[in-house]
Amino acid sequence: MEEKPRRIDPVTDRAAAAHLLGCAPDQVGYCPRCQGLTHRYGHGAQVICAACRAAEAAARG
């Protein structure tokens, strides 16, 4: 069974979040749905965080 992506708490240091997300710290921003941190800006950005995308996909079936 694959592990469900987890929300990155907004109080997490930007450099640590960037390391987890595989991007630069200046590319980290807030998910508009849960306010968790996500790779929001730049090449390969996803506005919605992985946890919210996984929850949406699970809800669809």
Side-chain angles (χ1 to χ4, degrees):
M1 180 180 229
E2 199 171 308
E3 187 175 328
K4 178 179 152 187
R6 293 177 27 191
R7 177 180 179 265
I8 300 175
D9 197 294
V11 298
T12 304
D13 178 70
R14 294 283 171 135
H19 179 73
L20 292 170
L21 295 165
C23 65
D26 64 344
Q27 294 177 320
V28 174
Y30 296 104
C31 171
R33 292 190 183 167
C34 71
Q35 299 304 306
L37 297 177
T38 188
H39 178 182
R40 176 111 190 227
Y41 307 103
H43 181 70
Q46 295 286 331
V47 174
I48 306 300
C49 73
C52 287
R53 286 193 315 269
E56 185 177 293
R60 278 190 254 139

